[in-house]
Amino acid sequence: MDIIKFKEKCRDIRRIIIKSKHRSKSAHLGSAFSAVELLVYLYYDHLNLDLTKKKPDRDYFILSKAHSSILIYAILFDKGIISKKEIEEVDVDGSYLGDHINSQVEGVEYSLGSLGHGLSVASGIALSSKMNGFNNKTIVLLGDGECNEGMIWEAASFAPVQKLKNLIAIIDYNKLQGFGRTSDFSDMTQFSLRWKSFGWNVREIDGHNFDEIKSALNEIRENPDKPLVIIAHTVKGKGVGFIEDKLEWHYKSLNDEQLQRALDELK
Amino acid sequence: MRNTFIKELTKFVETDKNIIFMTADLGFSVFEEFMEKYPNNYINVGLAEQNLIGVAAGLALTGKKVFVYSIAPFATARCFEQIKVNIAYHNLDVIIVGVGGGFSYSKSGSTHHAFEDIGILRTLPNMKILCPGDPIEVKASVKYAIENSGPFYIRLGKNKEPNIHKEEVELKNIISISEGEDGIILTTGNMLELGTKIVEDLKNKHGKNFALSSCPIIKPFDEKQILDLLKKYKYIFSLEEHVKEGGLSSLLSEIIATSTYKDFLFKGFSIDHGFIKTVGSQDYLRDLSGISKDKITEQIIKILK
Ligand SMILES: Cc1ncc(C[n+]2csc(CCOP(=O)(O)OP(=O)(O)O)c2C)c(N)n1
């Protein structure tokens, strides 16, 4: 994938997301937008996907910040896995597509919604792959606010001593969480040092930059037998000016006029 | 319910600065005013429910009265052992407030449904459980929790529940809403409104006159009040947005089993479904799990025949 295609794809995905959120009136628009570049690179380039979930040695992706489900659903729609009717019926009575990631949906590995669980589950998958001698990887996307949770740090201790080199945690570091800025609840100045001191390979990147995402995922690591964490600096709501870096867009839904303005920006 | 809750709590904090309110990263567009007015009585611990309970325990141990708040599953199941060991065992003044009882967060999926919260917390010694049925009962619950001591769980709905009571009430195990002679329907928490509709349907469509009562205090429960009802009514039905195990239906069954008097029929209506993997409105999920107005009314009519 080249950078031009990448940018087009990110724009398309944001357009699908914003139309869906406008229809469903559900929350978490900003949360999905901050990770578009990361997920587009993973799903269109990096991951060795098997969306039928049949090959045991496929790459695994776990959406720990599960309230960004629409981002995965938009990608699966774009790939033809989810139908037009299904994506138009997000949140409708009887749909599998709701506000949190659901493994009833084809191509989704694991259901979540309560924050803090994903790194442990991903560690278990990576451990299993290691036991089976597979040459695959497991990638998990975490929120920065989610890293308040104690369970994240239990897994953070576990993975390096188990030498889970096949595990990659990506943190969508958008500086906002549910009811405040992440730095209100945790001293983030030494965030990467924290992971380093737990034994992880750490890369800090601009999470909207194609080259930086690519190199972080592909370059040789300092400690080749240890897991990798990518701290991706992002902007919550990235891509639409009036939505960027505002807590309210964790909750608000777009009216018709705002939808139009957003789509105009995403041309 | 949550707006009523914070309004009522604010009133008490005005005169009692010993009350502390804690949240775990929730409360956008609800708590801002409280935060600004009483910054010294407000703490957001971030996304850390286990820490929320532990810190609350420390505050309560040293004399504070502490309210903690999150979405119901994250305020209960997520930190259950902290509640058991840090709070209940030490019988501390911590009031856990869970927003979104039952299917209130219907579109958020199973992780956000609180269908087992009453059941798990009922097992804890010292824990008292309040499930207000309308905003008026929310007000009474806040007052009740503040005026009494020890740990509480207050299970709120979400928002926009209408008032069913016409005036202020005092919190009790059983509060009568309306009279009737053919039987009685007992509801707990956010099923109260549905209860009024079922009673109306039974009357208007089927000519049956049922009494309706709300049960906002689930624990402790004065068993005699239930045993007395058995002699007064031939049919007793209960409604809850919770699984049968551990909830109101289970509580009533436990009490009724001790009765020597047998000339009555009891049936509890509870969530009857495995993990729900689809989403939709709260009414849709109620219907799916057998506790919508129509499904309950239909079953009651069958039983009466
Ligand atoms: C255990 C738990 N507590 C609370 C919530 C409610 N909640 C959903 S998203 C969110 C904020 C998440 O912030 P962050 O991890 O930084 O993700 P962002 O949306 O900023 O990308 C909260 C508090 C939850 N889903 N799970």
Side-chain angles (χ1 to χ4, degrees), chain B residues 74-114:
Chain B
F74 313 139
T76 58
R78 179 57 174 268
C79 44
F80 181 69
E81 196 186 58
Q82 282 77 12
I83 295 172
K84 173 182 159 190
V85 176
N86 304 359
I87 295 177
Y89 178 88
H90 294 91
N91 202 18
L92 294 174
D93 281 0
V94 176
I95 298 125
I96 300 159
V97 180
V99 67
F103 294 137
S104 303
Y105 282 87
S106 64
K107 293 177 179 175
S108 295
S110 276
T111 53
H112 285 57
H113 301 161

Short mmCIF file of all heavy atoms in Angstrom, two decimals, chain B residues 74-114:
data_model
loop_
_atom_site.label_atom_id
_atom_site.label_comp_id
_atom_site.label_asym_id
_atom_site.label_seq_id
_atom_site.Cartn_x
_atom_site.Cartn_y
_atom_site.Cartn_z
N PHE B 74 -19.72 -2.03 36.16
CA PHE B 74 -18.36 -1.63 36.51
C PHE B 74 -18.26 -1.19 37.98
O PHE B 74 -17.19 -1.21 38.57
CB PHE B 74 -17.84 -0.53 35.57
CG PHE B 74 -18.11 -0.84 34.12
CD1 PHE B 74 -18.53 0.15 33.25
CD2 PHE B 74 -17.95 -2.13 33.64
CE1 PHE B 74 -18.80 -0.14 31.91
CE2 PHE B 74 -18.22 -2.43 32.31
CZ PHE B 74 -18.65 -1.43 31.45
N ALA B 75 -19.40 -0.82 38.55
CA ALA B 75 -19.42 -0.43 39.96
C ALA B 75 -19.67 -1.63 40.87
O ALA B 75 -19.60 -1.52 42.09
CB ALA B 75 -20.51 0.62 40.20
N THR B 76 -19.99 -2.79 40.28
CA THR B 76 -20.35 -3.96 41.10
C THR B 76 -19.48 -5.17 40.78
O THR B 76 -18.55 -5.49 41.51
CB THR B 76 -21.84 -4.31 40.92
OG1 THR B 76 -22.11 -4.56 39.54
CG2 THR B 76 -22.74 -3.20 41.41
N ALA B 77 -19.76 -5.79 39.62
CA ALA B 77 -19.06 -7.04 39.28
C ALA B 77 -17.57 -6.81 39.08
O ALA B 77 -16.74 -7.63 39.48
CB ALA B 77 -19.67 -7.66 38.02
N ARG B 78 -17.20 -5.71 38.45
CA ARG B 78 -15.79 -5.45 38.14
C ARG B 78 -14.94 -5.40 39.42
O ARG B 78 -13.79 -5.80 39.44
CB ARG B 78 -15.66 -4.13 37.37
CG ARG B 78 -14.22 -3.74 37.00
CD ARG B 78 -13.58 -4.86 36.18
NE ARG B 78 -12.27 -4.50 35.69
CZ ARG B 78 -12.03 -3.95 34.52
NH1 ARG B 78 -13.02 -3.65 33.72
NH2 ARG B 78 -10.80 -3.71 34.15
N CYS B 79 -15.52 -4.93 40.50
CA CYS B 79 -14.74 -4.71 41.73
C CYS B 79 -15.40 -5.44 42.89
O CYS B 79 -15.38 -4.97 44.03
CB CYS B 79 -14.65 -3.22 42.00
SG CYS B 79 -16.21 -2.37 41.77
N PHE B 80 -15.95 -6.62 42.58
CA PHE B 80 -16.74 -7.33 43.60
C PHE B 80 -15.91 -7.69 44.83
O PHE B 80 -16.35 -7.52 45.96
CB PHE B 80 -17.37 -8.59 42.99
CG PHE B 80 -18.21 -9.36 43.96
CD1 PHE B 80 -19.41 -8.82 44.42
CD2 PHE B 80 -17.81 -10.59 44.44
CE1 PHE B 80 -20.20 -9.52 45.33
CE2 PHE B 80 -18.59 -11.29 45.36
CZ PHE B 80 -19.79 -10.74 45.80
N GLU B 81 -14.70 -8.17 44.63
CA GLU B 81 -13.93 -8.57 45.82
C GLU B 81 -13.52 -7.35 46.66
O GLU B 81 -13.48 -7.42 47.89
CB GLU B 81 -12.69 -9.38 45.46
CG GLU B 81 -12.19 -10.06 46.72
CD GLU B 81 -10.90 -10.80 46.57
OE1 GLU B 81 -9.89 -10.17 46.18
OE2 GLU B 81 -10.88 -11.99 46.85
N GLN B 82 -13.25 -6.25 45.99
CA GLN B 82 -12.94 -5.02 46.74
C GLN B 82 -14.16 -4.61 47.57
O GLN B 82 -14.02 -4.16 48.70
CB GLN B 82 -12.52 -3.89 45.79
CG GLN B 82 -11.10 -4.01 45.27
CD GLN B 82 -10.93 -5.05 44.18
OE1 GLN B 82 -11.90 -5.57 43.63
NE2 GLN B 82 -9.69 -5.37 43.85
N ILE B 83 -15.35 -4.77 46.98
CA ILE B 83 -16.57 -4.44 47.73
C ILE B 83 -16.70 -5.37 48.94
O ILE B 83 -17.00 -4.93 50.06
CB ILE B 83 -17.82 -4.54 46.81
CG1 ILE B 83 -17.75 -3.49 45.71
CG2 ILE B 83 -19.10 -4.38 47.62
CD1 ILE B 83 -18.83 -3.62 44.65
N LYS B 84 -16.45 -6.66 48.70
CA LYS B 84 -16.59 -7.65 49.77
C LYS B 84 -15.59 -7.40 50.91
O LYS B 84 -15.98 -7.28 52.08
CB LYS B 84 -16.39 -9.04 49.17
CG LYS B 84 -16.33 -10.18 50.15
CD LYS B 84 -16.06 -11.49 49.40
CE LYS B 84 -15.50 -12.57 50.30
NZ LYS B 84 -15.02 -13.72 49.54
N VAL B 85 -14.32 -7.30 50.54
CA VAL B 85 -13.26 -7.25 51.57
C VAL B 85 -13.06 -5.84 52.13
O VAL B 85 -12.98 -5.64 53.33
CB VAL B 85 -11.94 -7.80 50.99
CG1 VAL B 85 -10.81 -7.66 52.01
CG2 VAL B 85 -12.11 -9.25 50.56
N ASN B 86 -13.00 -4.86 51.22
CA ASN B 86 -12.67 -3.50 51.67
C ASN B 86 -13.85 -2.79 52.33
O ASN B 86 -13.67 -1.97 53.21
CB ASN B 86 -12.19 -2.63 50.50
CG ASN B 86 -11.00 -3.22 49.76
OD1 ASN B 86 -10.49 -4.27 50.12
ND2 ASN B 86 -10.57 -2.57 48.71
N ILE B 87 -15.06 -3.10 51.85
CA ILE B 87 -16.21 -2.34 52.33
C ILE B 87 -17.15 -3.16 53.20
O ILE B 87 -17.38 -2.83 54.37
CB ILE B 87 -16.99 -1.75 51.12
CG1 ILE B 87 -16.12 -0.72 50.41
CG2 ILE B 87 -18.29 -1.11 51.58
CD1 ILE B 87 -16.75 -0.14 49.19
N ALA B 88 -17.69 -4.26 52.65
CA ALA B 88 -18.73 -5.00 53.38
C ALA B 88 -18.18 -5.62 54.67
O ALA B 88 -18.79 -5.50 55.73
CB ALA B 88 -19.35 -6.07 52.48
N TYR B 89 -17.05 -6.27 54.58
CA TYR B 89 -16.47 -6.92 55.76
C TYR B 89 -16.28 -5.91 56.89
O TYR B 89 -16.55 -6.20 58.05
CB TYR B 89 -15.13 -7.57 55.38
CG TYR B 89 -14.43 -8.23 56.56
CD1 TYR B 89 -14.70 -9.55 56.91
CD2 TYR B 89 -13.52 -7.50 57.34
CE1 TYR B 89 -14.08 -10.14 57.99
CE2 TYR B 89 -12.89 -8.08 58.44
CZ TYR B 89 -13.17 -9.40 58.75
OH TYR B 89 -12.55 -9.98 59.83
N HIS B 90 -15.82 -4.71 56.53
CA HIS B 90 -15.58 -3.68 57.55
C HIS B 90 -16.80 -2.81 57.83
O HIS B 90 -16.72 -1.87 58.60
CB HIS B 90 -14.39 -2.81 57.12
CG HIS B 90 -13.10 -3.56 57.09
ND1 HIS B 90 -12.64 -4.20 55.95
CD2 HIS B 90 -12.21 -3.84 58.05
CE1 HIS B 90 -11.50 -4.81 56.23
NE2 HIS B 90 -11.21 -4.61 57.49
N ASN B 91 -17.90 -3.15 57.17
CA ASN B 91 -19.17 -2.46 57.38
C ASN B 91 -19.02 -0.92 57.27
O ASN B 91 -19.47 -0.18 58.14
CB ASN B 91 -19.76 -2.85 58.74
CG ASN B 91 -21.26 -2.61 58.79
OD1 ASN B 91 -21.91 -2.48 57.76
ND2 ASN B 91 -21.81 -2.54 59.99
N LEU B 92 -18.39 -0.48 56.21
CA LEU B 92 -18.07 0.94 56.07
C LEU B 92 -19.17 1.72 55.34
O LEU B 92 -19.94 1.16 54.56
CB LEU B 92 -16.75 1.10 55.30
CG LEU B 92 -15.51 0.56 56.03
CD1 LEU B 92 -14.29 0.64 55.12
CD2 LEU B 92 -15.27 1.32 57.33
N ASP B 93 -19.18 3.02 55.60
CA ASP B 93 -20.19 3.91 55.01
C ASP B 93 -19.86 4.25 53.56
O ASP B 93 -19.50 5.39 53.25
CB ASP B 93 -20.24 5.22 55.80
CG ASP B 93 -21.03 5.08 57.09
OD1 ASP B 93 -21.53 3.97 57.35
OD2 ASP B 93 -21.14 6.08 57.82
N VAL B 94 -19.98 3.29 52.70
CA VAL B 94 -19.76 3.55 51.28
C VAL B 94 -21.04 3.21 50.53
O VAL B 94 -21.59 2.13 50.70
CB VAL B 94 -18.58 2.73 50.72
CG1 VAL B 94 -18.44 2.96 49.22
CG2 VAL B 94 -17.29 3.09 51.43
N ILE B 95 -21.49 4.15 49.74
CA ILE B 95 -22.72 3.97 48.98
C ILE B 95 -22.34 3.84 47.51
O ILE B 95 -21.85 4.79 46.89
CB ILE B 95 -23.69 5.15 49.19
CG1 ILE B 95 -24.07 5.22 50.68
CG2 ILE B 95 -24.94 5.01 48.33
CD1 ILE B 95 -23.80 6.53 51.33
N ILE B 96 -22.54 2.65 46.98
CA ILE B 96 -22.19 2.38 45.59
C ILE B 96 -23.40 2.73 44.74
O ILE B 96 -24.49 2.20 44.97
CB ILE B 96 -21.83 0.89 45.41
CG1 ILE B 96 -20.64 0.53 46.29
CG2 ILE B 96 -21.57 0.56 43.95
CD1 ILE B 96 -20.54 -0.95 46.57
N VAL B 97 -23.20 3.60 43.76
CA VAL B 97 -24.31 3.98 42.90
C VAL B 97 -24.02 3.46 41.50
O VAL B 97 -23.03 3.86 40.87
CB VAL B 97 -24.50 5.51 42.89
CG1 VAL B 97 -25.66 5.90 41.99
CG2 VAL B 97 -24.71 6.03 44.30
N GLY B 98 -24.86 2.56 41.03
CA GLY B 98 -24.70 2.00 39.69
C GLY B 98 -25.75 2.59 38.77
O GLY B 98 -26.94 2.48 39.03
N VAL B 99 -25.30 3.21 37.69
CA VAL B 99 -26.25 3.78 36.74
C VAL B 99 -26.45 2.75 35.62
O VAL B 99 -25.50 2.07 35.22
CB VAL B 99 -25.76 5.14 36.20
CG1 VAL B 99 -24.51 5.01 35.35
CG2 VAL B 99 -26.85 5.84 35.40
N GLY B 100 -27.69 2.61 35.17
CA GLY B 100 -27.93 1.68 34.07
C GLY B 100 -28.29 0.29 34.52
O GLY B 100 -27.78 -0.70 34.01
N GLY B 101 -29.20 0.18 35.51
CA GLY B 101 -29.67 -1.13 35.94
C GLY B 101 -30.31 -1.89 34.79
O GLY B 101 -30.91 -1.29 33.90
N GLY B 102 -30.18 -3.21 34.80
CA GLY B 102 -30.82 -4.03 33.77
C GLY B 102 -30.31 -3.71 32.38
O GLY B 102 -29.10 -3.66 32.14
N PHE B 103 -31.25 -3.45 31.48
CA PHE B 103 -30.90 -3.21 30.06
C PHE B 103 -30.86 -1.72 29.72
O PHE B 103 -30.99 -1.35 28.55
CB PHE B 103 -31.94 -3.87 29.15
CG PHE B 103 -31.97 -5.36 29.22
CD1 PHE B 103 -33.19 -6.03 29.26
CD2 PHE B 103 -30.80 -6.10 29.21
CE1 PHE B 103 -33.24 -7.43 29.30
CE2 PHE B 103 -30.84 -7.50 29.26
CZ PHE B 103 -32.06 -8.16 29.30
N SER B 104 -30.67 -0.85 30.71
CA SER B 104 -30.72 0.58 30.41
C SER B 104 -29.74 0.95 29.30
O SER B 104 -30.03 1.77 28.44
CB SER B 104 -30.40 1.40 31.66
OG SER B 104 -31.27 1.08 32.70
N TYR B 105 -28.54 0.35 29.34
CA TYR B 105 -27.57 0.58 28.26
C TYR B 105 -27.78 -0.50 27.19
O TYR B 105 -26.89 -1.30 26.91
CB TYR B 105 -26.14 0.53 28.80
CG TYR B 105 -25.71 1.79 29.53
CD1 TYR B 105 -25.96 1.97 30.88
CD2 TYR B 105 -25.04 2.81 28.85
CE1 TYR B 105 -25.57 3.12 31.55
CE2 TYR B 105 -24.65 3.97 29.51
CZ TYR B 105 -24.92 4.11 30.85
OH TYR B 105 -24.52 5.26 31.50
N SER B 106 -28.95 -0.48 26.61
CA SER B 106 -29.35 -1.61 25.76
C SER B 106 -28.50 -1.75 24.51
O SER B 106 -28.25 -2.86 24.06
CB SER B 106 -30.82 -1.46 25.37
OG SER B 106 -31.00 -0.30 24.58
N LYS B 107 -28.04 -0.63 23.97
CA LYS B 107 -27.29 -0.69 22.71
C LYS B 107 -25.80 -0.91 22.91
O LYS B 107 -25.04 -0.98 21.96
CB LYS B 107 -27.55 0.58 21.90
CG LYS B 107 -28.98 0.65 21.45
CD LYS B 107 -29.33 1.92 20.72
CE LYS B 107 -30.80 1.84 20.31
NZ LYS B 107 -31.28 3.08 19.70
N SER B 108 -25.41 -0.98 24.17
CA SER B 108 -23.98 -1.14 24.45
C SER B 108 -23.56 -2.60 24.56
O SER B 108 -22.39 -2.90 24.68
CB SER B 108 -23.62 -0.40 25.74
OG SER B 108 -23.82 0.98 25.56
N GLY B 109 -24.52 -3.51 24.57
CA GLY B 109 -24.18 -4.92 24.61
C GLY B 109 -24.02 -5.46 26.02
O GLY B 109 -24.09 -4.73 27.02
N SER B 110 -23.77 -6.77 26.09
CA SER B 110 -23.77 -7.52 27.36
C SER B 110 -22.86 -6.95 28.44
O SER B 110 -23.17 -7.05 29.62
CB SER B 110 -23.37 -8.97 27.11
OG SER B 110 -24.49 -9.70 26.72
N THR B 111 -21.71 -6.40 28.04
CA THR B 111 -20.78 -5.90 29.06
C THR B 111 -21.40 -4.76 29.87
O THR B 111 -21.00 -4.52 31.00
CB THR B 111 -19.47 -5.35 28.45
OG1 THR B 111 -19.81 -4.38 27.45
CG2 THR B 111 -18.65 -6.47 27.85
N HIS B 112 -22.36 -4.06 29.26
CA HIS B 112 -22.97 -2.91 29.92
C HIS B 112 -24.34 -3.25 30.54
O HIS B 112 -24.97 -2.39 31.13
CB HIS B 112 -23.12 -1.75 28.94
CG HIS B 112 -21.83 -1.05 28.64
ND1 HIS B 112 -20.73 -1.71 28.13
CD2 HIS B 112 -21.45 0.26 28.77
CE1 HIS B 112 -19.74 -0.85 27.96
NE2 HIS B 112 -20.14 0.36 28.34
N HIS B 113 -24.81 -4.48 30.34
CA HIS B 113 -26.08 -4.86 30.97
C HIS B 113 -25.80 -5.28 32.41
O HIS B 113 -24.86 -6.02 32.67
CB HIS B 113 -26.73 -6.03 30.24
CG HIS B 113 -27.02 -5.75 28.79
ND1 HIS B 113 -27.24 -6.75 27.87
CD2 HIS B 113 -27.11 -4.58 28.10
CE1 HIS B 113 -27.47 -6.21 26.69
NE2 HIS B 113 -27.39 -4.89 26.80
N ALA B 114 -26.64 -4.82 33.33
CA ALA B 114 -26.50 -5.23 34.73
C ALA B 114 -27.66 -6.15 35.04
O ALA B 114 -28.73 -5.71 35.39
CB ALA B 114 -26.51 -4.01 35.64
#
